[in-house]
Amino acid sequence: MGFEQHMYGSTASAPSLRARDPDISMMDSSFLDGDSGNVKVVVRVRRFVPREIERGARCLVRMDPVTQKTTLCAPSEFDPANTRSQSRKIIEEKSFTFDKSFWSHDDVDSHYAHQEDIYNSFGEEFLDHNFDGYHTCIFAYGQTGSGKSYTMMGTPDQPGLIPRTCEGLFERIESEQSSSITYNVHVSYFEVYNEHVRDLLVPRTNPPQYLKIRESKADGVYVQNLTDEPVKSYSDVERLMRIGDINRTTASTKMNDTSSRSHAVFTIMLKQIQHDMSTDETIERCARMRLVDLAGSERAKSTEATGQRLREGGNINQSLSTLGRVIGALADPKRQRPGSSSQGKPGRARDVVPYRDSVLTWLLKDSLGGNSKTAMVACIAPSDYDETLSTLRYADQAKRIRTRATVNQDAVSAAERDAKILSMQETIRTLQNNLNAAATRKREDFDRQASELDDYQKQVRAMQRLMEETRQVSECKIRALTNEVEELRPLNEALEREISSLRRHLGLVLGELKNPIRLPTVKSPADPVVELDAEKENTPLEEEYEDEDEGYQDGKEDVANEVQTRANDILKDLALFRKKTADDRSRFGLRGALGEILGN
């Protein structure tokens, strides 16, 4: 089938709406059957872009609007855009059938699909699911530059799926508004960039502030501290989308001038509160609409990315690869049979879905295998055989996923509501009593601790006063003893001088006693010579000297005894003085004057 070559340009930055909670229950195999649990998959082929026209690319895709069959033709050996495929041994035509095939390649054809046609095909249907209380999720997948952003966001002249869905939401709210129904709508917008989550509704910071992912039984997987803005009209949503588009990470590559470098998620939370006056019953329905614009898979050789762009492409491909493995695990036919997950072998690898291997799949956990109706838009390029075949196989596998969508509704009758109110009032009363009792115990403990602290402070002050008085008495005693020592110091010095003198005198005396000096006898001139001579003749010489020493010896012993007695008395007095000063020193701890005296 031959077609004329046409091109289009998009000025949109390509973010899409995505719900915050990952729950997915998918749609039917047939577009009109809403009770089936399979994921709805549609495929859309875009028109040529300038670079494809310049290199003479040829369209390889055919679509049958009746059977919804999409056929990928084998490239010609002269096609310069598919030189990689020519090296393969087997290049053949491939055919796939999806829920819907949108031909957006040539607007001359009768079955050309405009933006409005895509919204009318399943956008309104999913909006109906939201008002019925179901969670929904729509995500666009494809290689970089395949038209995902154009499909999801569109242009100002040709709005895409997200703007039309939001506009239809508020049009229906306005048309169905009544006194018994109240609608509340909240919006959040974030991106997954390099396996980090960043809020797109807050200004950029340097360094960027990334959010943490949490999981709870009530809310499932959610983003902590994510901005959740209330909106009243479509203009509010449009303003928030523009803010998110400005903050989203985009860059230019060889294959796409405005390539999205992150997965963008726009979430709308719809809450309906209906009160039936006749039965006094309140019905509350909560529905989450998650619109996801995935970053495109890319080959480094084709994009010629380097540095930061190359690292971004690697992270994008890693998350999309994980998404493919998750889809493959969920689409496994053995998982669809009852009891297939156990079969006595719960540890088998095929029973484990690798949600946690990527931030993207972890956030989309409920949307891919939980409580949600989900649709996938597979965007393909008309001239790239390898990438188009990969995307079609990806989409063909996704359509076999079955989900479990349930209505998120809470109906409360008047009696139940009154019982809940009474129960909550009783709970509040109990909590208040517990709080008051705890406050009373805390106050009593505080008063007791304050009283004990006051007693301790009084004891401390009394001890401080006692210590001060003891210190003053000790200082008085020390001063008195110091004065006494100063008074005794001259006497001590005099006694020491006297003792020293006595010691020297005693030494002289003892030396004299040991070595007496013999004095010769002086003869009187009047003595008769004859008598002396006669006595000398009659007395021996030894006797004569002994008589002379006797008198001297008697006098010497008396003097020695007297000196010894006086020395002993002085030594006793000195010993008594030393003992007294030593006793004072031990009692009062003197280190000054008494120390010098005792040292001497």
Side-chain angles (χ1 to χ4, degrees), residues 39 171 179 228 293 302 399 483 520 551 560-561:
V39 172
E171 287 178 355
S179 59
D228 191 23
D293 181 17
S302 300
K399 72 180 184 181
N483 294 334
N561 291 334

Side-chain angles (χ1 to χ4, degrees), residues 282-316:
T282 300
I283 298 176
E284 181 178 305
R285 292 179 180 176
C286 294
R288 180 188 61 245
M289 185 186 307
R290 173 169 291 167
L291 302 170
V292 185
D293 181 17
L294 297 176
S297 60
E298 57 185 43
R299 298 177 185 267
K301 183 178 181 180
S302 300
T303 60
E304 297 183 359
T306 58
Q308 181 67 17
R309 301 286 86 82
L310 183 61
R311 288 190 293 272
E312 293 170 352
N315 287 321
I316 292 171

